[in-house]
Amino acid sequence: GANGFEKMDPKRYNGKVVRSQGREVYFVQEGTLRLIPSLSTFFAMGMKLEEIIQISNREFQNMKQGEPLPHKD
C-alpha cells in the first residue's frame, strides 16, 4: 500500500548513529538502539558529530532498546 513507511526496516540504520527528539544519541546494532553513554565514548568509537542521523519519533519508537554501550574514554 501507500504506507510502506510504516514497515520501515530498523536494520537500515545498522552501524549508524541516530537521535530522535531527546539529547541522547544511539548506536544501532542489529536494529537495536544502544545508548552511547558519553561524548568521549562516541569519539572513542571513531564517530563524527556530522554522522548523527535525525530520525522521526515514530521510527525511534519502532526500534527496540538494548543495553547501553559501555563507557569508553
Side-chain angles (χ1 to χ4, degrees):
N3 58 350
F5 176 76
E6 299 292 325
K7 293 206 230 357
M8 74 98 98
D9 176 11
K11 293 198 177 65
R12 74 188 230 204
Y13 293 117
N14 271 355
K16 304 222 166 47
V17 182
V18 301
R19 63 182 288 248
S20 182
Q21 287 152 333
R23 295 178 51 118
E24 292 86 11
V25 177
Y26 296 85
F27 181 69
V28 182
Q29 191 173 44
E30 306 287 317
T32 299
L33 295 161
R34 308 278 312 269
L35 178 67
I36 298 175
S38 64
L39 261 181
S40 55
T41 303
F42 178 83
F43 291 124
M45 292 166 66
M47 299 292 186
K48 298 187 184 72
L49 291 173
E50 55 269 23
E51 293 175 4
I52 299 172
I53 301 171
Q54 184 81 39
I55 63 173
S56 70
N57 199 40
R58 177 186 304 242
E59 283 183 299
F60 185 77
Q61 301 293 342
N62 278 333
M63 296 166 78
K64 62 179 195 285
Q65 299 225 18
E67 294 284 310
L69 292 169
H71 177 78
K72 288 186 192 156
D73 285 315

Coordinates of all heavy atoms in Angstrom, one line a residue:
G1 N 0.8 -1.2 0.0 CA 0.0 0.0 0.0 C 0.8 1.3 0.0 O 2.1 1.2 -0.1
A2 N 0.2 2.4 0.1 CA 0.9 3.7 0.1 C 1.7 3.9 1.4 O 2.6 4.7 1.4 CB -0.1 4.8 -0.1
N3 N 1.4 3.2 2.4 CA 2.1 3.5 3.7 C 3.2 2.4 3.9 O 3.2 1.8 4.9 CB 1.2 3.5 4.9 CG 0.4 2.3 5.1 OD1 0.3 1.4 4.2 ND2 -0.3 2.2 6.2
G4 N 4.1 2.3 2.9 CA 5.2 1.4 3.1 C 6.1 2.0 4.2 O 7.0 1.3 4.7
F5 N 5.9 3.3 4.5 CA 6.7 4.0 5.5 C 6.5 3.3 6.8 O 7.4 3.2 7.6 CB 6.2 5.4 5.6 CG 6.9 6.2 6.7 CD1 8.2 6.6 6.6 CD2 6.2 6.4 7.9 CE1 8.8 7.3 7.6 CE2 6.8 7.2 8.9 CZ 8.1 7.6 8.8
E6 N 5.3 2.7 7.1 CA 5.0 2.1 8.3 C 5.9 0.8 8.5 O 6.2 0.5 9.6 CB 3.6 1.6 8.4 CG 2.6 2.7 8.3 CD 2.6 3.6 9.5 OE1 2.8 3.1 10.6 OE2 2.3 4.8 9.3
K7 N 6.3 0.2 7.4 CA 7.0 -1.0 7.5 C 8.5 -0.7 7.4 O 9.3 -1.4 6.7 CB 6.6 -2.0 6.4 CG 5.2 -2.5 6.5 CD 5.2 -3.8 5.8 CE 4.0 -4.0 4.8 NZ 3.1 -3.0 4.6
M8 N 9.0 0.3 8.1 CA 10.4 0.6 8.0 C 11.2 -0.5 8.6 O 10.9 -1.1 9.6 CB 10.7 2.0 8.6 CG 10.6 2.1 10.1 SD 12.1 2.0 10.8 CE 13.3 2.3 11.4
D9 N 12.4 -0.7 8.0 CA 13.3 -1.8 8.5 C 14.3 -1.2 9.4 O 15.1 -0.4 9.0 CB 14.0 -2.4 7.2 CG 15.0 -3.5 7.7 OD1 15.0 -3.9 8.8 OD2 15.8 -3.9 6.8
P10 N 14.2 -1.6 10.7 CA 15.1 -1.0 11.7 C 16.6 -1.3 11.4 O 17.4 -0.5 11.8 CB 14.7 -1.6 13.0 CG 13.8 -2.8 12.7 CD 13.3 -2.5 11.3
K11 N 16.8 -2.3 10.6 CA 18.2 -2.7 10.3 C 18.8 -1.7 9.3 O 20.0 -1.8 9.1 CB 18.3 -4.1 9.8 CG 17.9 -5.1 10.9 CD 18.4 -6.5 10.5 CE 18.2 -7.5 11.6 NZ 16.8 -7.8 11.8
R12 N 18.0 -0.9 8.7 CA 18.6 0.0 7.7 C 19.5 1.0 8.3 O 20.3 1.7 7.7 CB 17.5 0.8 6.9 CG 16.8 1.8 7.7 CD 15.7 2.4 6.9 NE 15.7 3.8 6.8 CZ 14.6 4.6 6.6 NH1 13.4 4.0 6.4 NH2 14.7 5.9 6.5
Y13 N 19.4 1.2 9.7 CA 20.3 2.1 10.4 C 21.5 1.4 11.0 O 22.2 2.0 11.8 CB 19.6 2.9 11.4 CG 18.6 3.8 10.8 CD1 17.2 3.7 11.1 CD2 19.0 4.9 10.0 CE1 16.3 4.6 10.5 CE2 18.1 5.8 9.5 CZ 16.7 5.6 9.7 OH 15.8 6.5 9.2
N14 N 21.7 0.1 10.8 CA 22.7 -0.7 11.4 C 24.1 0.0 11.2 O 24.4 0.4 10.1 CB 22.8 -2.1 10.8 CG 22.0 -3.1 11.5 OD1 21.4 -2.7 12.6 ND2 21.9 -4.3 11.1
G15 N 24.8 0.1 12.3 CA 26.2 0.7 12.2 C 26.2 2.2 12.2 O 27.2 2.8 12.1
K16 N 25.0 2.8 12.3 CA 24.8 4.2 12.2 C 24.5 4.8 13.6 O 24.1 4.0 14.5 CB 23.8 4.6 11.2 CG 24.0 4.1 9.8 CD 23.8 5.1 8.8 CE 24.3 4.8 7.4 NZ 24.0 3.4 6.9
V17 N 24.6 6.1 13.7 CA 24.3 6.7 15.0 C 23.1 7.6 14.7 O 23.0 8.4 13.8 CB 25.5 7.6 15.4 CG1 25.2 8.3 16.8 CG2 26.7 6.8 15.6
V18 N 22.1 7.4 15.6 CA 20.8 8.2 15.4 C 20.4 8.9 16.7 O 20.8 8.5 17.8 CB 19.7 7.2 15.0 CG1 20.0 6.5 13.7 CG2 19.3 6.2 16.1
R19 N 19.6 9.9 16.5 CA 18.9 10.5 17.6 C 17.5 10.9 17.2 O 17.2 11.2 16.0 CB 19.7 11.7 18.1 CG 19.8 12.9 17.2 CD 20.6 14.0 17.8 NE 19.9 14.6 18.9 CZ 19.5 15.9 18.8 NH1 19.7 16.6 17.7 NH2 18.8 16.4 19.7
S20 N 16.6 11.0 18.2 CA 15.3 11.5 17.9 C 15.1 12.8 18.5 O 15.9 13.7 18.2 CB 14.3 10.4 18.5 OG 12.9 10.8 18.2
Q21 N 14.1 13.0 19.4 CA 13.9 14.4 19.9 C 14.8 14.7 21.1 O 15.0 15.9 21.4 CB 12.4 14.5 20.3 CG 11.6 14.7 19.0 CD 10.2 14.1 19.3 OE1 10.0 13.3 20.1 NE2 9.2 14.6 18.5
G22 N 15.2 13.7 21.8 CA 16.0 14.0 23.0 C 17.4 14.3 22.7 O 17.8 14.4 21.5
R23 N 18.2 14.5 23.7 CA 19.7 14.7 23.5 C 20.4 13.4 23.3 O 21.6 13.5 22.9 CB 20.2 15.4 24.8 CG 19.7 16.8 25.0 CD 20.2 17.4 26.3 NE 21.7 17.3 26.3 CZ 22.5 18.3 26.3 NH1 22.0 19.5 26.4 NH2 23.8 18.1 26.3
E24 N 19.9 12.3 23.7 CA 20.6 11.1 23.7 C 20.9 10.6 22.3 O 20.1 10.8 21.3 CB 19.8 9.9 24.3 CG 19.6 10.1 25.8 CD 18.4 10.9 26.2 OE1 17.6 11.3 25.3 OE2 18.3 11.3 27.4
V25 N 22.0 10.0 22.1 CA 22.5 9.6 20.8 C 22.6 8.0 20.9 O 23.2 7.5 21.9 CB 23.8 10.2 20.4 CG1 24.3 9.7 19.1 CG2 23.6 11.7 20.3
Y26 N 22.2 7.3 19.9 CA 22.2 5.9 20.0 C 22.9 5.3 18.8 O 22.8 5.7 17.7 CB 20.7 5.3 19.9 CG 19.9 5.7 21.1 CD1 19.2 7.0 21.1 CD2 19.7 4.9 22.2 CE1 18.5 7.3 22.2 CE2 19.0 5.3 23.3 CZ 18.4 6.5 23.3 OH 17.6 6.9 24.4
F27 N 23.7 4.2 19.1 CA 24.3 3.4 18.0 C 23.3 2.3 17.7 O 22.8 1.7 18.6 CB 25.6 2.8 18.6 CG 26.4 2.0 17.5 CD1 26.9 2.6 16.4 CD2 26.5 0.6 17.7 CE1 27.6 1.8 15.5 CE2 27.2 -0.1 16.8 CZ 27.7 0.5 15.7
V28 N 23.1 2.0 16.4 CA 22.2 1.0 16.0 C 22.9 -0.3 15.7 O 23.8 -0.3 14.8 CB 21.3 1.4 14.8 CG1 20.3 0.3 14.5 CG2 20.6 2.7 15.1
Q29 N 22.6 -1.4 16.4 CA 23.3 -2.6 16.3 C 22.2 -3.7 16.1 O 21.3 -3.9 17.0 CB 24.1 -2.9 17.6 CG 25.0 -4.1 17.5 CD 25.9 -4.1 18.7 OE1 25.4 -3.9 19.9 NE2 27.2 -4.3 18.6
E30 N 22.2 -4.4 15.0 CA 21.2 -5.4 14.7 C 19.8 -4.8 14.8 O 18.9 -5.5 15.3 CB 21.4 -6.6 15.6 CG 22.7 -7.2 15.6 CD 23.0 -8.0 14.4 OE1 22.1 -8.7 13.9 OE2 24.1 -7.9 13.8
G31 N 19.6 -3.6 14.4 CA 18.3 -3.0 14.5 C 17.9 -2.6 15.9 O 16.7 -2.2 16.1
T32 N 18.8 -2.7 16.9 CA 18.5 -2.3 18.3 C 19.3 -1.0 18.6 O 20.4 -0.8 18.3 CB 19.0 -3.5 19.2 OG1 18.3 -4.6 18.8 CG2 18.7 -3.2 20.6
L33 N 18.6 -0.2 19.4 CA 19.2 1.1 19.8 C 20.1 0.8 21.0 O 19.6 0.3 22.0 CB 18.1 2.1 20.2 CG 17.2 2.6 19.1 CD1 15.9 3.1 19.7 CD2 17.9 3.6 18.3
R34 N 21.3 1.2 21.0 CA 22.2 1.1 22.1 C 22.7 2.5 22.5 O 23.3 3.2 21.7 CB 23.5 0.3 21.7 CG 23.2 -1.1 21.1 CD 22.9 -2.2 22.1 NE 23.8 -2.2 23.2 CZ 24.9 -3.0 23.2 NH1 25.3 -3.7 22.2 NH2 25.7 -3.0 24.3
L35 N 22.3 3.0 23.7 CA 22.6 4.3 24.1 C 24.1 4.5 24.1 O 24.8 3.7 24.7 CB 22.0 4.6 25.5 CG 22.3 6.0 26.1 CD1 21.7 7.1 25.3 CD2 21.9 6.0 27.5
I36 N 24.6 5.6 23.6 CA 26.0 6.0 23.7 C 26.1 6.8 25.0 O 25.5 7.9 25.0 CB 26.5 6.7 22.5 CG1 26.4 5.8 21.2 CG2 28.0 7.2 22.7 CD1 26.8 6.5 19.9
P37 N 26.8 6.3 26.0 CA 26.7 7.0 27.3 C 27.4 8.3 27.5 O 27.1 9.1 28.4 CB 27.3 5.9 28.3 CG 28.2 5.1 27.4 CD 27.6 5.1 26.1
S38 N 28.3 8.6 26.6 CA 29.0 9.9 26.7 C 29.6 10.3 25.4 O 29.8 9.5 24.5 CB 30.1 9.7 27.8 OG 31.1 8.8 27.3
L39 N 30.0 11.6 25.3 CA 30.6 12.1 24.1 C 32.0 11.4 23.9 O 32.4 11.1 22.8 CB 30.8 13.6 24.2 CG 29.8 14.4 23.5 CD1 30.2 15.9 23.6 CD2 29.7 14.1 22.0
S40 N 32.7 11.2 25.0 CA 34.0 10.5 24.9 C 33.9 9.1 24.3 O 34.7 8.7 23.5 CB 34.8 10.5 26.2 OG 34.0 9.9 27.2
T41 N 32.8 8.4 24.7 CA 32.5 7.1 24.1 C 32.3 7.2 22.6 O 32.8 6.5 21.8 CB 31.3 6.4 24.8 OG1 31.5 6.3 26.2 CG2 31.1 5.0 24.2
F42 N 31.5 8.2 22.3 CA 31.1 8.5 20.9 C 32.4 8.7 20.1 O 32.6 8.1 19.0 CB 30.2 9.7 20.8 CG 29.8 10.2 19.5 CD1 28.8 9.6 18.8 CD2 30.5 11.2 18.8 CE1 28.4 10.0 17.6 CE2 30.1 11.6 17.6 CZ 29.0 11.1 17.0
F43 N 33.3 9.5 20.6 CA 34.5 9.8 19.8 C 35.5 8.6 19.8 O 36.2 8.3 18.9 CB 35.2 11.1 20.3 CG 34.4 12.3 20.0 CD1 34.0 13.2 21.0 CD2 34.1 12.6 18.7 CE1 33.3 14.3 20.8 CE2 33.3 13.8 18.4 CZ 33.0 14.6 19.4
A44 N 35.5 7.9 20.9 CA 36.3 6.7 21.0 C 35.9 5.6 20.0 O 36.7 4.8 19.6 CB 36.3 6.1 22.4
M45 N 34.6 5.6 19.6 CA 34.1 4.7 18.6 C 34.5 5.2 17.2 O 34.2 4.5 16.2 CB 32.6 4.6 18.7 CG 32.1 3.9 20.0 SD 30.3 4.2 20.2 CE 29.6 3.3 18.8
G46 N 35.2 6.3 17.1 CA 35.6 6.8 15.8 C 34.5 7.6 15.0 O 34.5 7.7 13.8
M47 N 33.4 8.0 15.8 CA 32.3 8.6 15.1 C 32.5 10.1 15.1 O 33.3 10.7 15.8 CB 31.0 8.4 16.0 CG 30.6 6.9 16.1 SD 30.1 6.2 14.5 CE 29.6 4.6 15.0
K48 N 31.8 10.8 14.1 CA 31.8 12.2 14.0 C 30.4 12.8 14.2 O 29.5 12.1 13.8 CB 32.3 12.6 12.6 CG 33.7 12.1 12.2 CD 34.1 12.8 10.9 CE 35.5 12.2 10.4 NZ 35.4 10.8 10.0
L49 N 30.4 14.0 14.8 CA 29.1 14.6 15.1 C 28.2 14.7 13.8 O 27.0 14.5 13.9 CB 29.2 15.9 15.8 CG 29.8 15.9 17.2 CD1 30.1 17.3 17.7 CD2 28.9 15.1 18.1
E50 N 28.8 15.0 12.7 CA 28.0 15.2 11.5 C 27.5 13.9 10.9 O 26.7 13.9 10.0 CB 28.8 15.9 10.4 CG 30.1 15.3 10.0 CD 31.3 15.9 10.9 OE1 31.1 16.4 12.0 OE2 32.4 15.8 10.4
E51 N 27.8 12.7 11.5 CA 27.3 11.4 11.1 C 26.0 11.1 11.8 O 25.4 10.1 11.5 CB 28.3 10.3 11.4 CG 29.6 10.4 10.5 CD 30.6 9.4 10.9 OE1 30.4 8.6 11.8 OE2 31.7 9.5 10.3
I52 N 25.6 11.9 12.8 CA 24.4 11.6 13.6 C 23.2 11.8 12.7 O 23.1 12.8 12.0 CB 24.3 12.4 14.8 CG1 25.5 12.2 15.8 CG2 22.9 12.2 15.5 CD1 25.5 13.1 16.9
I53 N 22.3 10.8 12.6 CA 21.1 10.9 11.7 C 19.9 11.2 12.6 O 19.7 10.5 13.6 CB 20.9 9.5 11.0 CG1 22.1 9.2 10.2 CG2 19.6 9.6 10.2 CD1 22.1 7.7 9.6
Q54 N 19.2 12.2 12.2 CA 18.0 12.6 12.9 C 16.9 11.7 12.4 O 16.6 11.7 11.2 CB 17.7 14.1 12.7 CG 16.5 14.6 13.4 CD 16.8 15.0 14.9 OE1 17.9 15.5 15.1 NE2 15.9 14.7 15.8
I55 N 16.2 11.0 13.3 CA 15.1 10.1 12.8 C 13.8 10.6 13.5 O 13.8 11.3 14.5 CB 15.3 8.6 13.1 CG1 15.4 8.3 14.6 CG2 16.6 8.1 12.4 CD1 15.5 6.8 15.0
S56 N 12.7 10.2 12.9 CA 11.4 10.6 13.5 C 11.1 9.9 14.8 O 11.6 8.8 15.0 CB 10.3 10.4 12.5 OG 10.1 9.0 12.4
N57 N 10.3 10.5 15.6 CA 9.9 9.9 16.8 C 9.2 8.5 16.6 O 9.4 7.5 17.3 CB 9.0 10.8 17.6 CG 8.9 10.4 19.1 OD1 9.9 10.1 19.6 ND2 7.7 10.4 19.6
R58 N 8.5 8.4 15.5 CA 7.8 7.2 15.1 C 8.8 6.1 14.8 O 8.7 4.9 15.3 CB 6.9 7.4 13.9 CG 6.2 6.1 13.5 CD 5.4 6.4 12.2 NE 4.5 7.4 12.4 CZ 3.2 7.3 12.3 NH1 2.6 6.2 11.9 NH2 2.4 8.3 12.5
E59 N 9.8 6.4 14.0 CA 10.9 5.4 13.7 C 11.5 5.0 15.0 O 11.8 3.8 15.3 CB 11.9 6.0 12.8 CG 11.5 6.1 11.4 CD 12.6 6.6 10.5 OE1 13.0 7.7 10.7 OE2 13.0 5.8 9.6
F60 N 11.8 6.0 15.9 CA 12.5 5.7 17.1 C 11.7 4.7 18.0 O 12.2 3.8 18.5 CB 12.7 7.0 17.8 CG 13.5 6.9 19.1 CD1 14.9 6.8 19.0 CD2 12.9 7.0 20.3 CE1 15.7 6.7 20.2 CE2 13.7 6.9 21.5 CZ 15.0 6.7 21.4
Q61 N 10.4 5.0 18.1 CA 9.5 4.2 18.9 C 9.4 2.7 18.3 O 9.1 1.8 19.1 CB 8.1 4.7 19.0 CG 8.0 6.1 19.5 CD 8.3 6.2 21.0 OE1 8.3 5.2 21.7 NE2 8.7 7.4 21.5
N62 N 9.6 2.6 17.0 CA 9.5 1.3 16.4 C 10.7 0.4 16.6 O 10.7 -0.8 16.3 CB 9.3 1.4 14.9 CG 7.8 1.7 14.6 OD1 6.9 1.3 15.3 ND2 7.6 2.3 13.5
M63 N 11.8 1.0 17.1 CA 13.0 0.2 17.3 C 13.1 -0.2 18.8 O 12.7 0.5 19.7 CB 14.2 1.1 16.9 CG 14.2 1.4 15.4 SD 15.3 2.7 15.0 CE 16.9 1.8 14.9
K64 N 13.7 -1.4 19.0 CA 13.8 -1.8 20.4 C 15.1 -1.3 21.0 O 16.1 -1.1 20.3 CB 13.7 -3.3 20.5 CG 14.7 -4.2 19.9 CD 14.3 -5.6 20.2 CE 15.5 -6.6 19.9 NZ 15.7 -6.8 18.5
Q65 N 15.0 -1.0 22.3 CA 16.2 -0.5 23.0 C 16.9 -1.7 23.7 O 16.4 -2.5 24.3 CB 15.7 0.5 24.1 CG 15.0 1.6 23.5 CD 15.4 2.9 24.1 OE1 16.5 3.0 24.7 NE2 14.6 4.0 24.0
G66 N 18.2 -1.7 23.4 CA 19.1 -2.7 24.1 C 19.8 -2.1 25.2 O 19.5 -1.0 25.7
E67 N 20.9 -2.8 25.7 CA 21.7 -2.3 26.8 C 22.5 -1.1 26.3 O 22.9 -1.1 25.1 CB 22.7 -3.4 27.1 CG 22.1 -4.6 27.8 CD 21.7 -4.4 29.2 OE1 22.5 -3.9 30.0 OE2 20.5 -4.7 29.5
P68 N 22.7 -0.1 27.1 CA 23.6 1.0 26.8 C 25.0 0.4 26.5 O 25.4 -0.6 27.0 CB 23.7 1.9 28.0 CG 22.5 1.5 28.8 CD 22.2 0.0 28.5
L69 N 25.8 1.1 25.6 CA 27.1 0.7 25.3 C 28.0 1.0 26.5 O 27.7 1.9 27.3 CB 27.7 1.5 24.1 CG 27.0 1.1 22.8 CD1 27.4 2.1 21.7 CD2 27.3 -0.3 22.3
P70 N 29.1 0.2 26.7 CA 30.0 0.5 27.8 C 30.7 1.8 27.6 O 31.0 2.2 26.5 CB 31.0 -0.7 27.8 CG 30.9 -1.3 26.4 CD 29.5 -0.9 25.9
H71 N 31.0 2.5 28.7 CA 31.7 3.8 28.6 C 33.1 3.6 28.2 O 33.8 2.7 28.7 CB 31.6 4.5 30.0 CG 32.3 5.8 30.0 ND1 31.8 6.9 29.5 CD2 33.5 6.1 30.5 CE1 32.7 7.9 29.7 NE2 33.7 7.5 30.3
K72 N 33.6 4.5 27.3 CA 35.0 4.5 26.8 C 35.5 5.9 26.9 O 34.8 6.8 26.6 CB 35.1 4.0 25.4 CG 34.8 2.6 25.1 CD 35.2 2.3 23.6 CE 34.7 0.9 23.2 NZ 34.4 0.8 21.8
D73 N 36.8 6.0 27.3 CA 37.4 7.3 27.3 C 38.1 7.6 26.0 O 38.7 6.7 25.5 CB 38.3 7.4 28.5 CG 37.6 7.6 29.8 OD1 36.6 8.4 29.8 OD2 37.9 6.9 30.8

